[in-house]
Amino acid sequence: MIQDSKKLYWQDQIHISFAKAMMTTENSPLLHYRLFSLSDGALGPASSTICDGEPTTVGTGPAPRKLSTFFGVVVPTVLSMFSIVVFMRIGFVVGQAGLLQSLLMLFVAYAIIWLTVLSVCAISTNGAVQVMISRTLGPEFGGSIGLMFYLANVCACGVYVLGLVEGVLDIFGKDSSDPTNPLRSLPQGYGYSFLYASVVLLVCLSVCLVGASIYSQAAFFIFILVTLVLLSILISFLAVGPRQITIRHGGNVTLIGEYTGINSTTLHNNLQAEYSLDYTTGNLMNFATVFAVMFNGCTGIMAGCNMSGELKQPSRAIPIGTIIAVIITLFVYLILFLLTALTCDRTLLREDYGFFRPINFWPPFVLIGVYATSLSASMSTLIGASRILHALAKDDLFGILLAPAKLVTKGGNPLGAVVYTWALVQLVLLAGKLNTIAGIVTVFYLMAYAAIDLACLALEWASAPNFRPTFRFFSWHTCLLGIVSCLVMMFLINPAYASGSIVLLLLLLGFIHFRSSSSSWGYISQALIFHQVRKYLLLLDVRKEHVKFWRPQILLMVSNPRSSCQLIKFINDLKKGGLYIMGHVETGDLDMLPSDPVQAHYSFWMSLVDKLNVKAFVDLTLSSSVRHGTQQLLRITGLGGMKPNTLVLGFYDDTTPEDFFLQDSAFTPGLSPHDDPFGVDATSLQAHFPPIRGPETPHHLPPMEYVAMICDALKMHKNIVLARGFPSLVRPETCGSNAALYIDVWPLDLLRPQASAYVDVCSLFLLQMACILNMAASWRRYQLRVFLCVESSGGSSAGGNGLLAAEMKFRELLVKLRIRAAIRVVDWDRVAVLRGQGGAHTGLTREPISVEYLKAANQAVLEEGGVESAVRFLYLPRPPADPTIHDRYLEELNTLTEGLGPTLLIHGLTPVTCTEL
C-alpha cells in the first residue's frame, strides 16, 4: 500500500507539473493578445507584460480610452474630408465638368470610398484594433500601406497649405488694378507663394513640436465653425439676390461673373462640360484632372481609424462613425453641387474659385471657414503623417533609413518624425499650385485604398479561421471591385504617376517581405501561401510523376549540427529545387515524460537553418531508437507529392568530429537576443546543442543499427547516400584559384565490379546526382570527370581495343544523356588481381573481400583523382542480407573510402533519366 501510495503521489506530481507546463504554454499567447485580463496586482506591483510590442505595467494598465463614436470618428473624419476643396474647388469642378459630369465624378469617387470603407470596417472589426489599423494587416501590407498613406498625407499637407495661401492671396494679394486697396499689400508670384507657404508650414511645425494637443482639443470647435460656415453658404444661396461679381487676375484681366440666384436657365447652361484653361496653372483641364482635384475632398476616411487607440469601443465606433461621416459629406457635396449649378454662371465658377465669399450674406465668415479648414487640415495631416512615420520607424520595418524618426521628446512627441515630415512637405511646396499636385495626392490615396482592398481580399481568400469580422456587409466581390476602380481611375488621372506608385508599392512589399523583420502582427503572406500550397499539393499527383521531371527530395539525418554544418550546406547545393528536410531523432519514451521535449527545440533548429542560409525544412521526432525514428521520418515526413525519395546519412567511422560552431562567426556568442527575429541568438544556440563527441566517447548507435537503417531505406524504396569527409570540404565560394577543379564519378561497384554495369539504375542515378551538383551556381566552374574501370583481360576484346571500346560506348551514353563530362579509362588489372574470389556470394552469405584489394582500390581512386578532386561520387553496394556480417560490410566501406576527402557513397533505386528524353 505504501508503495502504491508513493506511486500515486509521483504520478500526481507528474500530472501537476504537466498541467503547469501546459498552462504556461497556453496562457502566454493569451496574455500577449489581451484575450483575458488579470486583476490588478495579480502579478505583483512590479510585474509587466508586453502588448503589441510596448511594455505595459499590469497594475496600471494602458491609458483609458475616452472618445465616443461621434467625437473620436465622425468629427475627425468629417474635418479631414471637408478640406480646402469644399470651399475653394466646388465652383472649379462644376464650372469645368458641368453638373452631370460633376455628379458622375462624385458617384465614382464615393463608390471607391464606399468600397474601401467596407474593407476598412471589415478589417477594423476583426479582433483588437491597435493604434494604426494597418498593423492588423501584417508587416508587408501594414508597412507598405502605412508608407503609402504617409506619402499621401505629406502631399495632402502641401495641398492644404497651398490652398490656404491661395485663399489669403485672393484677398490680400497685391493687385495693380486696385492700388488704393490697403488690404491688397502682399506681393504675388511663385517665389512669394512659396515663401508664404513655408511660413504657414512653419506655424504648423511649431504647433506639432510644442503643442500638438492644442489641435486635438480644438478639433470640435473647428468642426462647429465649419458646420456654421457651410450653413451660412446654404442659406446664402437662398437668401442672397442676383448680382454681378468683378473678377481680377493679377491686375491684367478683369472679368464679370453672374450670380443669378436659383434659375432654370443657369442650370441648363451648367449641365454639360466645358473644359478650359485653369487660370492658376494655365493647363487645359479634362475629366481626369478635374476628378483628381475633386477626389482630394473625399479622402480622410482613415482619420477615425487612426484614433482607434483613444476610442472606447473601436470595433463598433469605426464602422458606424466612418459610414456616418461618409454619408454626411456626400449629402453636403450633392447639395453644394446642385445649388452651385442652379445659381452661378460659367465665368464665375471657372474664374473665381473663392466665389462663396462674394455671394455670402457676410463674406468674412467664409474667409474664417476657409482659413480654419485649411489650417486645421494642414496641421491634421502633418500630425497624422508624423505619427504614421514614427510608428513605421519604431517597428523597424525600413531599417536605418527611418532610424532618426524614432526620436521622441520627454512628453512622447515624435520629434524626429515631425522634422522628417516637415522637410518632405517643404519639398512638395515647390510645386507652387494646388491643382499641380492634386493629381499626385489623388494617385497616392487611390493606391493606398487599393492596397487596403487588396489586403482585405487576401484575408478573405486566405480563409483564415480567425478572420471573423463582425462587419459582414462586404465580400471578395466588393474588395475586387474596389481594387479595379482605384486602378482604373489612377491610370485615367496620370498613367505615369499610377505606374510609379504601383512599382513603389510592390517594391515596399518585396522589401519588407524579404527583410523578414520581427513582428507579432501576423503575416497575410503566410496565410495566402498556406492556402495556395494546400491547393497545389492536392494537384501534385504522385501518379503523374515522370522521369524527365524527377528531382531529388532529400531527408538528411543530423545527429549534432555542430559537426554537420558543411554537409548541411553541401546537400543544399544538391537539392536542385527539390524538397530538403533536416531530420533529427531524440531518443526517449513519451509515456515517461510530462510533455513532448521535441516541440521546444524547433525554434533552435529553424534559427540554425537561418544562420546557415539553406532552404530546408526541419522535422524532429521522439522515438525509442534512432533507427525507428528514421523509419518514422521516412514514412511521414512531407505531404502528398512532396515526400523524401532520398535518405542521406553521415558516414559511420571513428573520426573525431570538428565543432563548426567555433569556426563560423555567425555562431559567435555576444549578439543581442533582439537581433534574431525569433529570440534565438548565438549564445542560445551554443547552449542548446550538446558538445561534439570526443575521441573516447562511443557512438550513439551500434554499427548493426546503422547498417539496418540503410537496409530499411532500401526496403522502403528510398535512394540512400552516405557522406564521408565533409568537414574537410572547401566551399567553392571560399576556395582560391589553386583549389580543386573536378567532380569525380566512379559509376561502378568497386567492391564487386563483376556484378554491376555502367548503365544500371544505380550508375545512372550516380551520374544524375553529380550532374545536379555541377548545375548548382557555385559548382558550375568545376568539371565533371567519369572514371571507367576496365579490365583488359575481360570481355570479348583485349588490350587497348577493349579500353577504347569501353570509352566510346560510354561517351555515346553521355551524349544521349546530354551530360558534359571528361572520360578517363582506368586499367583495373593491377587491382583486380588482388581480388581473387573475394566478394562472391550465394544466398545470404558472402565471402569477405581481401584487405589488400580494398586498399588497392582506395589507392587507385586516390591516385587517379589526385588533389584536384573536390568531391567524389562512388557506387554504394547493397548491404548483405545476413545481419551478422554488417560489421564487415562497414569495415569494407571504411577501407575503400579512407582518406578520399569529401565522398558520397550512393545507391539509387529510382530511374532518374533515360536516353529517350
Side-chain angles (χ1 to χ4, degrees):
M1 290 296 292
I2 294 176
Q3 291 178 348
D4 291 342
S5 299
K6 289 183 177 180
K7 183 178 180 181
L8 290 173
Y9 170 79
W10 286 112
Q11 287 179 348
D12 290 341
Q13 293 302 309
I14 291 174
H15 292 156
I16 291 171
S17 301
F18 176 74
K20 287 182 177 179
M22 291 300 294
M23 288 178 66
T24 303
T25 303
E26 293 173 2
N27 289 354
S28 299
L30 299 181
L31 281 171
H32 181 76
Y33 290 104
R34 299 179 184 174
L35 295 183
F36 66 88
S37 59
L38 296 173
S39 59
D40 291 345
L43 298 179
S47 298
S48 64
T49 185
I50 300 294
C51 293
D52 312 315
E54 295 296 332
T56 303
T57 303
V58 175
T60 58
R65 298 168 179 254
K66 299 178 180 179
L67 295 181
S68 62
T69 301
F70 180 76
F71 290 101
V73 182
V74 177
V75 170
T77 303
V78 170
L79 279 179
S80 297
M81 298 184 75
F82 279 160
S83 59
I84 193 66
V85 173
V86 75
F87 292 111
M88 298 289 291
R89 287 300 183 268
I90 291 291
F92 165 79
V93 174
V94 177
Q96 294 284 350
L99 178 63
L100 296 180
Q101 288 196 19
S102 297
L103 294 178
L104 176 61
M105 291 179 187
L106 195 66
F107 170 77
V108 172
Y110 271 85
I112 294 173
I113 293 298
W114 182 251
L115 291 170
T116 306
V117 165
L118 295 180
S119 298
V120 169
C121 293
I123 294 171
S124 63
T125 58
N126 185 54
V129 182
Q130 308 306 329
V131 178
M132 285 180 58
I133 190 172
S134 60
R135 286 196 174 190
T136 65
L137 307 177
E140 297 107 324
F141 279 98
S144 55
I145 292 174
L147 191 59
M148 295 298 291
F149 260 116
Y150 171 73
L151 295 176
N153 276 295
V154 166
C155 295
C157 184
V159 167
Y160 303 145
V161 171
L162 292 174
L164 177 58
V165 171
E166 182 181 314
V168 170
L169 292 178
D170 278 348
I171 304 301
F172 302 104
K174 184 178 292 185
D175 188 353
S176 59
S177 65
D178 189 14
T180 60
N181 190 342
L183 290 177
R184 292 186 169 273
S185 58
L186 292 177
Q188 298 195 60
Y190 174 80
Y192 285 107
S193 296
F194 178 75
L195 176 61
Y196 304 147
S198 300
V199 172
V200 172
L201 183 60
L202 190 61
V203 172
C204 296
L205 174 66
S206 302
V207 173
C208 292
L209 292 177
V210 179
S213 59
I214 298 175
Y215 169 76
S216 61
Q217 295 171 0
F220 180 66
F221 172 76
I222 297 173
F223 175 78
I224 295 297
L225 180 61
V226 171
T227 303
L228 292 176
V229 173
L230 288 174
L231 287 175
S232 75
I233 292 173
L234 297 178
I235 294 172
S236 297
F237 276 121
L238 303 175
V240 175
R243 61 182 65 178
Q244 290 185 340
I245 299 170
T246 302
I247 306 169
R248 293 184 177 89
H249 291 166
N252 299 321
V253 179
T254 301
L255 302 169
I256 302 297
E258 292 282 344
Y259 173 75
T260 63
I262 297 178
N263 188 298
S264 60
T265 302
T266 304
L267 176 63
H268 182 268
N269 293 336
N270 288 331
L271 285 178
Q272 303 300 323
E274 291 183 12
Y275 295 108
S276 63
L277 294 178
D278 170 28
Y279 76 85
T280 63
T281 62
N283 297 327
L284 181 63
M285 295 292 102
N286 54 42
F287 182 91
T289 55
V290 174
F291 176 84
V293 174
M294 192 220 70
F295 191 79
N296 279 276
C298 305
T299 58
I301 58 173
M302 298 292 290
C305 300
N306 290 332
M307 297 293 291
S308 60
E310 307 296 328
L311 298 173
K312 293 179 181 177
Q313 295 178 309
S315 295
R316 182 177 181 274
I318 290 175
I320 295 176
T322 305
I323 291 173
I324 291 174
V326 169
I327 292 174
I328 290 174
T329 55
L330 174 61
F331 183 70
V332 171
Y333 275 122
L334 279 173
I335 293 178
L336 289 177
F337 278 176
L338 288 172
L339 291 177
T340 299
L342 279 167
T343 58
C344 303
D345 73 345
R346 292 275 185 175
T347 303
L348 179 62
L349 297 178
R350 289 189 297 196
E351 303 298 334
D352 187 2
Y353 297 159
F355 76 99
F356 280 151
R357 180 182 52 80
I359 68 171
N360 196 273
F361 62 80
W362 190 50
F365 201 35
V366 177
L367 286 180
I368 295 173
V370 170
Y371 298 159
T373 304
S374 302
L375 197 59
S376 167
S378 301
M379 288 189 292
S380 174
T381 49
L382 187 61
I383 294 170
S386 62
R387 268 54 179 179
I388 294 172
L389 184 65
H390 175 64
L392 293 173
K394 189 172 62 175
D395 292 322
D396 198 29
L397 293 179
F398 298 95
I400 195 173
L401 184 64
L402 298 183
K406 297 180 182 181
L407 298 176
V408 294
T409 62
K410 292 182 179 180
N413 193 27
L415 176 65
V418 170
V419 174
Y420 241 100
T421 307
W422 167 80
L424 288 179
V425 177
Q426 192 68 47
L427 293 176
V428 173
L429 296 180
L430 292 172
K433 295 296 181 181
L434 184 155
N435 289 1
T436 303
I437 58 175
I440 302 175
V441 178
T442 298
V443 167
F444 271 127
Y445 272 117
L446 286 172
M447 190 70 251
Y449 292 159
I452 290 177
D453 290 324
L454 178 62
C456 191
L457 179 66
L459 287 169
E460 181 70 10
W461 277 355
S463 302
N466 283 323
F467 184 60
R468 300 188 297 271
T470 56
F471 183 86
R472 298 302 304 167
F473 298 100
F474 84 102
S475 68
W476 68 268
H477 305 84
T478 61
C479 300
L480 188 60
L481 184 59
I483 296 170
V484 172
S485 303
C486 291
L487 294 178
V488 169
M489 291 312 303
M490 284 168 55
F491 280 95
L492 284 177
I493 292 169
N494 193 308
Y497 292 164
S499 302
S501 62
I502 291 174
V503 170
L504 176 61
L505 181 66
L506 293 177
L507 288 175
L508 292 174
L509 284 170
F511 175 79
I512 300 175
H513 176 75
F514 289 109
R515 191 170 182 268
S516 299
S517 57
S518 176
S519 171
S520 60
W521 304 350
Y523 292 73
I524 290 182
S525 60
Q526 294 298 302
L528 286 174
I529 290 171
F530 179 89
H531 181 74
Q532 292 302 112
V533 166
R534 179 194 60 84
K535 181 170 69 174
Y536 287 118
L537 275 175
L538 292 172
L539 296 177
L540 191 60
D541 194 340
V542 294
R543 297 169 296 180
K544 299 178 182 178
E545 289 182 353
H546 194 277
V547 64
K548 66 182 178 181
F549 297 120
W550 180 90
R551 67 182 73 231
Q553 304 197 93
I554 299 172
L555 172 62
L556 170 65
M557 298 303 300
V558 179
S559 175
N560 190 341
R562 287 179 176 273
S563 58
S564 307
C565 290
Q566 286 285 55
L567 180 59
I568 292 172
K569 290 182 178 181
F570 178 82
I571 299 300
N572 186 65
D573 296 334
L574 200 61
K575 67 182 185 303
K576 188 55 180 175
L579 182 68
Y580 178 23
I581 300 174
M582 289 168 50
H584 175 73
V585 179
E586 292 199 17
T587 55
D589 187 355
L590 191 59
D591 291 338
M592 304 302 296
L593 298 171
S595 63
D596 185 4
V598 167
Q599 299 304 316
H601 298 171
Y602 271 97
S603 59
F604 295 95
W605 283 84
M606 295 304 297
S607 181
L608 174 74
V609 169
D610 294 336
K611 289 185 180 298
L612 293 177
N613 194 29
V614 295
K615 298 178 180 179
F617 298 95
V618 172
D619 214 342
L620 312 178
T621 189
L622 181 72
S623 181
S624 58
S625 68
V626 175
R627 177 187 178 186
H628 291 153
T630 304
Q631 289 180 9
Q632 294 174 15
L633 293 177
L634 279 174
R635 290 185 187 279
I636 66 175
T637 298
L639 194 63
M642 298 284 288
K643 295 184 74 67
N645 56 29
T646 303
L647 174 66
V648 180
L649 302 174
F651 195 77
Y652 193 97
D653 58 17
D654 295 326
T655 304
T656 303
E658 299 178 14
D659 193 340
F660 188 81
F661 282 13
L662 302 178
Q663 305 173 16
D664 194 332
S665 59
F667 298 94
T668 302
L671 298 178
S672 170
H674 299 291
D675 293 341
D676 189 278
F678 301 96
V680 179
D681 60 350
T683 304
S684 302
L685 277 179
Q686 293 275 11
H688 176 75
F689 293 111
I692 59 174
R693 176 174 57 87
E696 305 299 328
T697 307
H699 285 276
H700 295 295
L701 70 164
M704 292 183 63
E705 185 174 352
Y706 177 82
V707 180
M709 291 166 58
I710 301 175
C711 296
D712 293 341
L714 295 176
K715 290 177 183 177
M716 299 169 71
H717 206 71
K718 306 292 183 183
N719 310 300
I720 184 74
V721 178
L722 306 183
R724 182 175 190 180
F726 278 87
S728 63
L729 176 71
V730 179
R731 299 285 305 167
E733 59 269 17
T734 60
C735 64
S737 58
N738 297 326
L741 299 175
Y742 295 103
I743 299 171
D744 291 349
V745 182
W746 295 76
L748 188 69
D749 183 357
L750 299 181
L751 295 186
R752 296 182 293 120
Q754 74 279 11
S756 61
Y758 288 115
V759 291
D760 65 1
V761 171
C762 185
S763 297
L764 292 178
F765 187 89
L766 206 68
L767 278 171
Q768 182 80 335
M769 295 297 283
C771 183
I772 288 174
L773 179 64
N774 196 214
M775 294 170 69
S778 57
W779 291 88
R780 283 177 185 167
R781 69 182 182 89
Y782 288 75
Q783 185 179 358
L784 207 61
R785 292 192 302 189
V786 180
F787 293 86
L788 303 183
C789 303
V790 178
E791 298 179 36
S792 59
S793 59
S796 58
S797 301
N801 291 334
L803 299 177
L804 183 61
E807 180 180 355
M808 293 299 297
K809 183 178 180 181
F810 199 81
R811 190 175 301 279
E812 291 178 4
L813 174 65
L814 292 181
V815 170
K816 292 180 181 179
L817 296 177
R818 302 173 312 284
I819 296 177
R820 300 179 61 183
I823 299 177
R824 295 186 62 172
V825 178
V826 180
D827 186 356
W828 203 246
D829 289 341
R830 57 190 175 91
V831 180
V833 295
L834 301 174
R835 185 175 62 238
Q837 300 299 317
H841 69 285
T842 57
L844 298 178
T845 64
R846 191 184 74 172
E847 294 297 326
I849 301 175
S850 67
V851 176
E852 291 77 10
Y853 170 79
L854 293 172
K855 289 183 176 181
N858 171 267
Q859 191 64 25
V861 172
L862 187 60
E863 289 176 355
E864 292 292 337
V867 295
E868 296 177 333
S869 177
V871 61
R872 292 177 171 88
F873 288 74
L874 269 60
Y875 191 115
L876 175 67
R878 275 182 174 270
D882 186 359
T884 61
I885 57 176
H886 282 176
D887 284 347
R888 190 172 68 200
Y889 171 76
L890 270 183
E891 291 173 0
E892 293 170 353
L893 294 181
N894 182 58
T895 305
L896 178 66
T897 58
E898 183 74 29
L900 294 183
T903 304
L904 293 180
L905 289 160
I906 300 176
H907 192 95
L909 300 177
T910 308
V912 293
T913 188
C914 68
T915 58
E916 298 176 358
L917 293 180

